[in-house]
Amino acid sequence: RVTKYEAQLLVVGVFLYLLNAQGDPVGLMMDGDKALFLEPRKTSEGVAQMVFQLSSSKPSHPSSLLTSLSSLRNRLRKPSVIWICSDFDNDPELLLEKIKSCRNDGHDVRVLHFFHPHERDMPWEGECEFEDMEEAFSGIKVHPADLRAQYHQEYLSHQKLIKSRLIQMGIPYYLYDITQPVEQIVIDIFQSQS
């Protein structure tokens, strides 16, 4: 089974390769277990270094996406295309404000929102023990049926808020179900760009 983090790494790696192959300089900023920023480069060696960093990273919790976006704004010297790839498990208002700031700085911001349908639907029956996929944490025991309706509504509201506000800002938004083949999201995104 592929975690959201692994799906993110795979999709970002594919993007790095494809964008570099079409002659675009690509850079990388990560907020996993080792926050790092690699300057945009046009060389395949630069992309190889980025892919190596992706493959050797581990998720961290809580996500420092908000801090990373602030740092990225300070590092970019000229308007750039910024792909934000995340599960957006953050305070939506703070996150949207950071994304808006990137856009207001003249950057072309695009968002790829990763999710697994089980997060939305909670399809399990009986008592379940939940584990955090980004930390080696487990131990929360619940009966999903007791929470399913309210949780489902809150999850969809969170997702809808992020999507609608980004669209209002003119920021392309893509929702990626990680149970679908990676090539499908890549094809969908590249087709929508042309």
Side-chain angles (χ1 to χ4, degrees):
R1 115 186 151 183
V2 175
T3 68
K4 281 187 300 182
Y5 191 77
E6 292 165 339
Q8 288 173 10
L9 297 180
L10 183 57
V11 170
V12 169
V14 169
F15 275 17
L16 289 170
Y17 172 77
L18 291 173
L19 292 170
N20 179 258
Q22 68 185 28
D24 295 327
V26 293
L28 178 67
M29 177 164 243
M30 293 180 53
D31 72 345
D33 63 326
K34 50 183 173 186
L36 76 115
F37 175 75
L38 297 173
E39 292 284 341
R41 301 178 187 172
K42 279 190 168 186
T43 66
S44 58
E45 292 82 12
V47 171
Q49 181 186 7
M50 292 174 204
V51 170
F52 173 77
Q53 293 295 334
L54 284 171
S55 66
S56 63
S57 72
K58 293 184 178 19
S60 66
H61 194 74
S63 171
S64 55
L65 179 59
L66 299 172
T67 304
S68 292
L69 287 174
S70 294
S71 177
L72 183 62
R73 289 180 60 215
N74 294 330
R75 290 175 179 263
L76 293 174
R77 297 182 198 105
K78 58 184 178 179
S80 301
V81 176
I82 299 173
W83 277 95
I84 302 170
C85 303
S86 175
D87 62 4
F88 296 100
D89 189 17
N90 303 83
D91 177 318
E93 294 300 330
L94 291 174
L95 177 64
L96 290 163
E97 196 56 43
K98 293 286 185 187
I99 293 171
K100 183 178 180 182
S101 295
C102 289
R103 179 70 165 201
N104 290 344
D105 288 346
H107 301 295
D108 180 358
V109 180
R110 299 155 192 217
V111 168
L112 181 52
H113 188 167
F114 289 80
F115 85 102
H116 191 291
H118 288 175
E119 290 177 285
R120 178 193 61 212
D121 302 332
M122 294 181 75
W124 312 283
E125 298 298 330
E127 184 177 81
C128 296
E129 184 172 349
F130 284 87
E131 65 182 72
D132 187 322
M133 298 304 287
E134 295 178 352
E135 287 186 39
F137 172 78
S138 63
I140 301 173
K141 293 184 180 184
V142 298
H143 289 272
D146 297 341
L147 308 171
R148 189 173 290 126
Q150 179 180 351
Y151 178 81
H152 185 80
Q153 184 58 41
E154 288 178 17
Y155 186 90
L156 291 177
S157 294
H158 177 84
Q159 203 174 61
K160 182 179 178 182
L161 172 69
I162 291 171
K163 179 180 180 178
S164 65
R165 293 275 296 282
L166 289 170
I167 289 171
Q168 285 174 359
M169 287 186 250
I171 295 174
Y173 173 87
Y174 305 92
L175 184 62
Y176 176 49
D177 172 349
I178 70 162
T179 64
Q180 300 302 309
V182 170
E183 58 270 16
Q184 190 58 55
I185 189 63
V186 173
I187 289 168
D188 291 348
I189 288 171
F190 276 86
Q191 283 180 341
S192 73
Q193 304 290 308
S194 47

